[in-house]
Amino acid sequence: MNFILLVVVILIAVIMVAAAVGIARLIAPRSYNPQKSEPYECGIPTRGKSWMQFKVGYYLYAILFLMFDVETVFLFAWAVVVQDLGIYGLASVLFFLLILVLGLAYAWKKGALEWK
């Protein structure tokens, strides 16, 4: 019974998304302007090459931010049910936070948080 309900919910979701996309295509304005397909550069002409390399430090900084941001979401879910989990839940989240702190210490030691 639960499997049938899951299939029905997924089918309804797919139908609703398809209907929304179809309605949007039907009522969307259809005007073509060649300027619309050009990249938007804030009106300032570029100097030199548009393609340039970025330092890998920017990517590492962004990945670390996303990693700790996602971990915060997991902590929120834990906080919602903390009373039901008891001491085992507390020990689990402390272990989780220990792993996070060790990861942060490793990134700090490797210099991934230095903005050069």
Side-chain angles (χ1 to χ4, degrees):
M1 179 64 184
N2 288 336
F3 181 73
I4 294 172
L5 183 62
L6 177 67
V7 171
V8 169
V9 168
I10 290 173
L11 283 175
I12 290 173
V14 168
I15 290 170
M16 289 181 72
V17 169
V21 170
I23 291 170
R25 284 192 179 210
L26 286 175
I27 65 174
R30 289 182 180 84
S31 64
Y32 178 75
N33 187 348
Q35 244 179 352
K36 286 185 179 180
S37 62
E38 292 181 10
Y40 181 66
E41 295 284 344
C42 301
I44 301 171
T46 58
R47 294 184 204 154
K49 295 180 181 177
S50 294
W51 292 94
M52 54 189 271
Q53 292 182 346
F54 291 97
K55 292 182 182 178
V56 74
Y58 299 127
Y59 297 110
L60 289 175
Y61 200 79
I63 288 172
L64 283 171
F65 173 76
L66 288 175
M67 181 180 72
F68 285 105
D69 193 42
V70 168
E71 305 311 331
T72 305
V73 171
F74 289 139
L75 286 176
F76 178 75
W78 169 80
V80 170
V81 294
V82 68
Q83 289 182 344
D84 299 335
L85 297 177
I87 194 74
Y88 176 73
L90 179 64
S92 297
V93 84
L94 288 176
F95 182 70
F96 180 72
L97 288 173
L98 175 71
I99 291 172
L100 279 180
V101 169
L102 289 176
L104 180 62
Y106 177 78
W108 196 333
K109 183 178 178 184
K110 288 292 184 178
L113 299 176
E114 293 178 13
W115 199 265
K116 296 179 183 177

